Amino acid sequence: MTRAAVIDGVGGFVPPRVVTNEELAQSLDTSDTWIRSRTGIAQRHYVEPGTTTGDLAVEAGLRALKNAGAYGVDLVIVATTTPDRPCPATAPSVASRLGLTDVPAYDVAAVCSGFVYALQAGTAAVTSGFAERVLVIGAESFSTILDPGDRTTSVIFGDGAGAVVLRAGERCEPGAVLEVHLGSDGSMADLITVRGGGAEERSRGGTPLDEDRYFRMEGKSVFFAAVRRMTESSRTVLDRTGWEVSDVDRLVGHQANTRILHGVAEQLGLPPERAVLNIDRVGNTSAASIPLALADGMADGELKAGDRVLLTAFGGGATWGSATLTWPDLPVD
C-alpha cells in the first residue's frame, strides 16, 4: 500500500454582497463590456465592514468538514494574502473557532499560488505520517487591499474562501493527490505586490506613502509570466504523474483571467471546454480561487468521481505550482 493524501471533503463560501461591473463603472473609467472582454468577469463578492478573512475561512472550513463528515483534524493550514493581522497568523484563530483545540495551525503566503502550496504541505503531512487528517483553506478579503481608484486591479479581484479536507488513504483511491510541483522566482517580486506594512517599509523610516498600502500588479507582464509558468509547471507535474495531456479530464486553474486560463489550455493542447471556470461569478479570489472552483465544479456536476484533474496556479513572489489528482465521490449539498 502506498500512503497518500485523499480529498475527503470540499467547501466554499463567498460573502453575500455582490458587486457587479455596472456598480464599479459608476466610480471608475470603465464599463461592463470593457471588464468582460478583458477578464471574463461579470461580478464579484466583497466583505462587509467588520467581516474578516478569518470569518470567510471558518465558514468554508465548516462546509468542508461537514462534506467530509469529520469534525476533527490534526492540522489546519490557511493560505492567504490578506491575514486578519500581520501578527499572529490567522490559522490558529480559525482552528480555535472551528473547535479544533490544541491542533497545530499556520498560514501560507504565496498569493494566488497559495492553495497549491498549502495543498503540498498538507499532503506531505499526511504521507509522512505526521497527520491523519488535514484541513487546507484558501481565504481572501482582497477588497480590503485594493486601491478603489485603480481600474486595473479593482475590476479583477473579489473575496471568498474554499477548503478541502485531506485524509490518509491509498494512492489508487479516487481523491488521491498524486503529484505536486512548485516553483518561485523572487526577482519578479514587484510584479505583484503590496509594498507597505512590512519590515521593508518600517526600516526605511519616514512617513509611509498612501499608495504603498494598496495592492499593485503589472498586468501585461503578469499575463505572459502566468501563462508560461503555469504551462511549464503543468507539463512537469503531468510527466511526474505519468499522464499525457490527453489524459486530463478537467483543468482547474487559478481563476485569474479567462484569457490566461484559455492561454494555458491552448499551450497544453487541451480543449478549452475542459477548463472549470467560475471567474465570471466570483472574480479572482487569489488563494481561494482553486478550492472555490473545485466546490463550484462539484456542485455544478463538472467534476465527477474518477475524473483526472490538473490544478495549476501563478501568484506573487513570483510563485507557481501544479498538482494532479483523481476526483473523489463526494456528497453534493
Side-chain angles (χ1 to χ4, degrees):
M1 182 183 78
T2 302
R3 185 177 171 100
V6 178
I7 293 179
D8 199 34
V10 178
F13 177 73
V14 290
R17 182 188 170 195
V18 175
V19 179
T20 63
N21 292 344
E22 289 83 358
E23 180 177 340
L24 292 178
Q26 294 176 13
S27 57
L28 294 169
D29 180 20
T30 189
S31 67
D32 175 63
T33 301
W34 188 92
I35 297 170
R36 285 178 188 260
S37 65
R38 285 161 177 78
T39 68
I41 299 168
Q43 64 178 44
R44 71 289 294 149
H45 294 252
Y46 282 0
V47 293
E48 296 286 1
T51 300
T52 69
T53 296
D55 295 331
L56 304 181
V58 167
E59 186 60 38
L62 280 170
R63 295 184 180 195
L65 290 166
K66 179 182 177 182
N67 187 241
Y71 293 91
V73 298
D74 306 306
L75 173 65
V76 176
I77 307 172
V78 175
T80 186
T81 314
T82 54
D84 289 354
R85 303 179 186 178
C87 175
T90 301
S93 173
V94 170
S96 176
R97 292 171 62 185
L98 290 170
L100 302 170
T101 56
D102 298 326
V103 171
Y106 60 86
D107 288 0
V108 169
V111 197
C112 300
S113 302
F115 177 77
V116 180
Y117 268 64
L119 182 69
Q120 190 280 332
T123 297
V126 171
T127 57
S128 69
F130 178 82
E132 292 298 309
R133 286 185 180 273
V134 179
L135 177 61
V136 179
I137 305 172
E140 303 283 12
S141 49
F142 233 78
S143 63
T144 63
I145 61 172
L146 294 176
D147 180 348
D150 180 7
R151 81 169 179 174
T152 63
T153 58
S154 288
V155 301
I156 296 173
F157 291 90
D159 304 336
V164 300
V165 175
L166 301 175
R167 64 164 173 84
E170 298 183 31
R171 189 176 173 88
C172 60
E173 288 186 68
V177 179
L178 301 175
E179 297 289 342
V180 182
H181 170 261
L182 303 176
S184 74
D185 181 355
S187 70
M188 302 168 68
D190 286 339
L191 288 186
I192 301 171
T193 188
V194 177
R195 296 197 66 93
E200 180 183 288
E201 176 191 77
R202 295 174 188 232
S203 67
R204 287 199 309 261
T207 303
L209 299 174
D210 284 344
E211 64 188 44
D212 287 348
R213 299 168 45 220
Y214 295 118
F215 176 84
R216 302 295 178 192
M217 181 173 69
E218 298 293 334
K220 185 175 292 187
S221 297
V222 168
F223 179 91
F224 291 111
V227 172
R228 175 192 166 200
R229 293 298 191 177
M230 290 166 72
T231 301
E232 292 175 347
S233 180
S234 293
R235 287 177 175 153
T236 297
V237 83
L238 288 174
D239 184 61
R240 290 181 182 177
T241 308
W243 288 357
E244 300 294 334
V245 170
S246 58
D247 292 327
V248 176
D249 297 306
R250 289 295 178 186
L251 169 66
V252 184
H254 162 53
Q255 307 289 300
N257 180 309
T258 53
R259 292 190 297 163
I260 289 176
L261 291 166
H262 287 155
V264 172
E266 181 181 357
Q267 290 293 312
L268 289 173
L270 270 174
E273 59 268 20
R274 293 193 192 178
V276 174
L277 300 175
N278 69 347
I279 189 172
D280 58 319
R281 307 189 296 273
V282 299
N284 180 340
T285 56
S286 192
S289 75
I290 286 180
L292 268 176
L294 293 176
D296 285 347
M298 184 175 74
D300 295 342
E302 292 187 82
L303 290 170
K304 299 178 176 62
D307 278 352
R308 291 159 294 192
V309 181
L310 169 64
L311 312 180
T312 189
F314 178 89
T319 60
W320 54 87
S322 301
T324 51
L325 55 96
T326 53
W327 193 248
D329 185 9
L330 299 175
V332 179
D333 295 329

